[in-house]
Amino acid sequence: MPDTPELPAQLRRAHLIGIGGAGMSGIARILLARGAAVSGSDAKESRALLSLRAQGATLFVGQTADNLAELAEPPSAVVVSTAIKETNPELAAARERGIPVLHRAQALAGLMAGHRVACIAGTHGKTSTTSMLTVALQNCRMDPSFAIGGDLNESGANAHHGEGGVFVAEADESDGSFLTYTPSVAVVTNVEPDHLDHHGTAEAYVKVFSDFVGQIEPGGLLIVCADDEGAARLGDEAVAAGVRVRRYGRAASGVGDVRVVGYTPAPDGGVVRIALDGEEHDLRVAVPGEHMALNAVAALLAGLELGAPLDGMAAGLAAFGGVRRRFEFKGRAGDVRVYDDYAHHPTEVAAQLRAVRTAAGSGRVVVVFQPHLYSRTQTFAAEFAEALSLADEVVVLDVFGAREEPVPGVTGALIADRVTAAVHYQPAFDVAAGLVADLVRPGDLAITMGAGDVTQLGPEILAELDRRAAGA
């Protein structure tokens, strides 16, 4: 079993601002497992903070300059994400004191050092594909370290320090920070313009993926989806640059590629038939949708490159139970099932709703969608409407602005006004659960969608349905 590489000196006493976030809490978890002294702060208490505190982290609720002064020793580095503004009092205090400041991706790259690294990138499907690869490698007893933007249903964790010498990471292109990594295996699921608030133009967004391919270590492998125009073009460019490439999908046809021969959907997942090295195999996937089956094939290829056996990878993928907020089952009230999903880009919404249609069977699909970011809503309003029109009933909430300031005239109505299915624009978040309860019928499937606080609505919908049933 490989020895754990020595922890970089800058990370031995790390203070993480916004430590409760998905990416930051994962880094903290690995740092603690590797013996670092970890401190951090977040705006509010959370399950992530409770877990990290139990593992020995020194945590503050609220972000002030005094937090750094209260530590027994100054941090060797302060770690931040792009979401932390320069005006943050802790960040400002760190700079005044001359404490090194690392971006989250730089800290993660430090943890990757000495490992064989697999990075999963793409506009959509990063979290699911990273999670599938992790679970399948665990099934092969390879004990990978991993850092994922969501919690695995199997373990409830978003990160882990493993002893297997392999590090699997979700590589986030939103701010270009994935250019910090040097993977030996890189997966790009798709390339479709997004995060234009940071990148500015579609051309700049596409270019950052080309730059990412340039980060692959010599002799490493790029895995791309042949069915996605952007990813396929990226693969062609990589081949021309001398990078080793393997493709997957229905359009994959080269030597070493994995061609998808067919896909059979089922309410509890599906079976994808693949052609690999001259033989056909059936790969069982326990989450619904052909887009998820493609993610599983990408994970399979990455696992094979990392030395995992085909049968072990296939068994691990068949056992994959999903990721929180990726078609996550929230509960059932009477004969109505309620799910939650993180989809926040038109392509993701459309792919998930097609999968939901299969899972709904003879029931209707009722979707509650919360747009994420004013810039994304303004740019893709028509595309969101087209995707949401795949449902039978659509409830559109107002925009979750996240890091952005409101833009005059940009509301959920921009999308709702273009939806061709039965649609309801509801800007009042607190009455949305009651509206959904009014709309659903026995046998229906309701799903909340978006990257904001719409995830809170699932339990509220179930509680309202139970309340009405009790009073009937």
Side-chain angles (χ1 to χ4, degrees):
M1 185 173 293
D3 294 330
T4 299
E6 186 177 358
L7 196 64
Q10 276 194 321
L11 296 177
R12 291 173 188 167
R13 291 191 318 280
H15 182 84
L16 286 71
I17 303 176
I19 197 169
M24 297 289 268
S25 63
I27 290 171
R29 202 166 270 120
I30 296 173
L31 283 168
L32 286 163
R34 290 181 61 174
V38 174
S39 60
S41 65
D42 210 24
K44 60 183 179 180
E45 191 64 77
S46 65
R47 184 178 65 183
L49 264 62
L50 291 171
S51 174
L52 292 172
R53 194 177 286 118
Q55 295 173 62
T58 300
L59 301 179
F60 303 93
V61 176
Q63 295 171 347
T64 70
D66 292 339
N67 290 347
L68 293 178
E70 289 185 27
L71 296 173
E73 293 184 78
S76 54
V78 167
V79 182
V80 298
S81 70
T82 305
I84 303 301
K85 294 180 170 56
E86 285 295 324
T87 54
N88 181 282
E90 285 182 36
L91 177 56
R95 293 203 187 279
E96 287 173 7
R97 298 179 187 194
I99 300 172
V101 176
L102 302 178
H103 187 277
R104 176 186 63 82
Q106 292 174 303
L108 187 56
L111 294 174
M112 292 175 178
H115 294 79
R116 192 168 185 208
V117 177
C119 285
I120 287 75
T123 311
H124 325 293
K126 293 183 292 292
T127 301
S128 295
T129 306
T130 310
S131 302
M132 288 175 174
L133 174 57
T134 297
V135 170
L137 291 175
Q138 288 174 332
N139 182 74
C140 297
R141 304 286 191 265
M142 292 180 68
D143 190 23
S145 296
F146 64 85
I148 307 173
D151 291 345
L152 294 176
N153 284 348
E154 283 79 3
S155 63
N158 63 344
H160 166 71
H161 166 57
E163 301 289 347
V166 170
F167 202 118
V168 178
E170 179 176 344
D172 181 16
E173 87 290 354
S174 64
D175 57 2
S177 62
F178 68 163
L179 299 181
T180 307
Y181 310 141
T182 308
S184 56
V185 182
V187 175
V188 176
T189 55
N190 37 59
V191 180
E192 185 177 0
D194 195 9
H195 302 292
L196 301 187
D197 56 315
H198 175 83
H199 295 284
T201 65
E203 292 76 16
Y205 179 83
V206 170
K207 183 181 182 302
V208 81
F209 280 95
S210 297
D211 294 342
F212 174 64
V213 172
Q215 291 294 109
I216 298 173
E217 67 180 29
L221 175 69
L222 173 65
I223 299 168
V224 296
C225 181
D227 298 344
D228 177 79
E229 182 179 347
R233 187 182 305 115
L234 187 71
D236 292 342
E237 293 173 359
V239 169
V243 177
R244 190 162 54 96
V245 176
R246 296 185 76 176
R247 300 170 177 82
Y248 65 95
R250 292 183 181 271
S253 59
V255 176
D257 290 352
V258 176
R259 183 168 59 88
V260 172
V261 177
Y263 174 73
T264 304
D268 59 347
V271 177
V272 58
R273 189 160 185 81
I274 60 172
L276 170 65
D277 296 333
E279 297 182 359
E280 292 194 0
H281 306 268
D282 284 333
L283 194 63
R284 168 77 179 158
V285 184
V287 285
E290 187 166 350
H291 64 300
M292 285 294 189
L294 280 173
N295 292 340
V297 177
L300 175 70
L301 264 178
L304 295 177
E305 177 67 16
L306 292 168
L310 175 60
D311 56 349
M313 286 294 298
L317 292 169
F320 173 69
V323 187
R324 286 177 182 163
R325 297 230 58 211
R326 273 66 176 183
F327 197 56
E328 179 186 1
F329 180 62
K330 305 301 291 186
R332 181 190 295 268
D335 198 26
V336 175
R337 290 171 290 158
V338 178
Y339 290 80
D340 181 46
D341 196 86
Y342 191 68
H344 57 281
H345 184 281
T347 301
E348 295 170 344
V349 172
Q352 195 58 66
L353 286 177
R354 283 192 287 268
V356 168
R357 176 67 65 191
T358 299
S362 60
R364 300 181 311 151
V365 174
V366 179
V367 60
V368 186
F369 180 68
Q370 182 185 53
H372 185 260
L373 298 180
Y374 295 97
S375 57
R376 185 182 285 128
T377 302
Q378 191 170 34
T379 302
F380 296 117
E383 291 84 354
F384 274 124
E386 182 180 0
L388 290 167
S389 297
L390 294 169
D392 298 293
E393 294 273 3
V394 180
V395 177
V396 180
L397 306 177
D398 244 339
V399 180
F400 186 87
R403 59 186 177 271
E404 295 183 343
E405 296 298 322
V407 176
V410 178
T411 70
L414 279 182
I415 296 172
D417 290 346
R418 294 172 167 86
V419 172
T420 57
V423 63
H424 313 265
Y425 170 51
Q426 181 48 265
F429 189 92
D430 58 346
V431 302
L435 173 57
V436 176
D438 289 339
L439 295 173
V440 294
R441 306 170 187 165
D444 285 355
L445 187 157
I447 183 166
T448 56
M449 277 189 173
D453 57 3
V454 67
T455 186
Q456 299 172 11
L457 280 182
E460 293 181 17
I461 294 168
L462 289 165
E464 179 63 18
L465 289 171
D466 285 338
R467 186 188 68 78
R468 295 186 183 192

